[in-house]
Amino acid sequence: VSWAEQLSSLAEQDQLVTLPRLYIAASVCVYAGRPTEAVGYIERAIELEADSRYVSFDHGWSGLLAATAYRYVNEIDRSIEICRSLGAGDGLARVIGHCGLLHLLSVVGEFGEAQSLAETTVAIARSHGSPFWIVWALEGCGRAFVETQPLVALAYFRDGLSLAREHRIAYFEGIAVRESAMVEALQGQLDQALAQFDETLESFERAGNVAHVVNSLADLVVLFDRVGHREAAIIVLGAVGRHVDHASYSRLPEIVERSAAELDDGQVDHLLGVGRSMELPEAMDYARKHIPVARQQLPSEESTA
């Protein structure tokens, strides 16, 4: 990413015809935790693509990175709009639009619409042929059913994990492990779910994938809350809030409301403040240290299951 950012100003001066592609490459910095900069790069790329002097890049890729960047600057409605527009197109843009929309609808809790799109999205991805998009479609299907039909969701996640491992798609392998852990938590297998989250966090941290570290921490908040590890849940929630609006995750606002009703006055605000004061590496370290603590709090029959 850094090479693209460094070259963009020089390429701008020389009016390099492939400049839009360079800005799109630079926008990958969204995955390194810099969504604001990514939005700037994407918007410049789209502006240049409207100029006939420059060579456009595949609309699907620019749309994917735009949707991702807007999500992480808390404009998730705009991300959904972009994916709907892409999905109405053809080629790679259609694949990306459907996969992205399926994922985002589940993020905002629109599970009914997500479920209605699930099989169509898989079929579109399979027709394109790339295992990468097929795995993403299967992961999106799992998310669509995780709240209402967890066993169906688990089957989708396992299919996606198998395909990701077969084709060495490490990016989605980590995601599939995380999502499977959430389903296992819903099935009462909390100890196994927490153990898998430790592995997932380490994987994304090692890869430098800040976006998915934040996603994983947000899901870990739900697990901590479910096992009654309430204070740690709120602190991690505060850390997540430095990077994305809590409302971008359908289950987080209710955790704040429930905690406010159960804890002493002002305690939730204090704990959120503690989390917000943490840089992401510190929050990661805190969360991973509290995973074994949360596992110890489980009833003995669950922790040994």
Side-chain angles (χ1 to χ4, degrees), residues 42-250:
I42 278 292
E43 290 181 346
R44 181 59 178 150
I46 292 171
E47 178 186 351
L48 290 169
E49 285 183 331
D51 188 329
S52 61
R53 293 176 299 172
Y54 296 98
V55 177
S56 297
F57 194 41
D58 190 295
H59 184 53
W61 282 109
S62 58
L64 169 63
L65 287 159
T68 303
Y70 284 122
R71 177 192 172 181
Y72 288 106
V73 294
N74 302 323
E75 294 187 41
I76 197 165
D77 289 344
R78 191 166 183 178
S79 298
I80 290 173
E81 180 184 338
I82 290 169
C83 288
R84 288 192 192 279
S85 177
L86 290 172
D90 53 21
L92 180 59
R94 183 168 182 249
V95 178
I96 290 173
H98 275 79
C99 289
L101 180 60
L102 184 60
H103 171 78
L104 291 171
L105 288 172
S106 298
V107 169
V108 298
E110 296 291 340
F111 297 108
E113 184 181 356
Q115 290 172 13
S116 71
L117 293 173
E119 283 303 316
T120 298
T121 301
V122 173
I124 289 170
R126 289 192 188 282
S127 69
H128 186 268
S130 169
F132 184 91
W133 305 115
I134 297 170
V135 173
W136 192 20
L138 290 168
E139 187 265 336
C141 289
R143 278 181 166 265
F145 287 94
V146 73
E147 296 286 342
T148 58
Q149 300 181 54
L151 294 181
V152 172
L154 190 58
Y156 278 123
F157 289 140
R158 286 174 174 167
D159 286 348
L161 180 59
S162 176
L163 192 60
R165 285 175 171 165
E166 177 186 351
H167 293 277
R168 298 181 180 179
I169 309 173
Y171 175 82
F172 278 121
E173 184 175 348
I175 293 173
V177 171
R178 181 185 69 206
E179 301 299 345
S180 297
M182 291 302 292
V183 177
E184 288 164 353
L186 289 172
Q187 298 297 297
Q189 300 174 36
L190 294 168
D191 185 63
Q192 184 174 347
L194 286 164
Q196 285 183 297
F197 255 82
D198 193 39
E199 174 188 340
T200 300
L201 285 168
E202 181 182 16
S203 172
F204 286 131
E205 183 180 32
R206 188 169 57 248
N209 192 326
V210 173
H212 278 290
V213 166
V214 173
N215 288 343
S216 299
L217 288 175
D219 283 338
L220 186 59
V221 169
V222 178
L223 287 188
F224 279 168
D225 178 73
R226 189 158 288 160
V227 302
H229 201 40
R230 189 61 47 74
E231 291 190 7
I234 299 301
I235 288 173
V236 175
L237 184 59
V240 168
R242 287 189 61 164
H243 299 274
V244 68
D245 189 344
H246 295 157
S248 297
Y249 296 89
S250 59

Side-chain angles (χ1 to χ4, degrees), residues 1-9 21-35 37-39 41-42 65 207-210:
V1 175
S2 60
W3 65 265
E5 294 179 277
Q6 291 167 7
L7 288 175
S8 59
S9 60
R21 300 184 181 202
L22 192 60
Y23 277 115
I24 290 168
S27 73
V28 175
C29 68
V30 65
Y31 295 110
R34 295 190 288 119
E37 292 93 328
V39 166
Y41 292 135
I42 278 292
L65 287 159
N209 192 326
V210 173

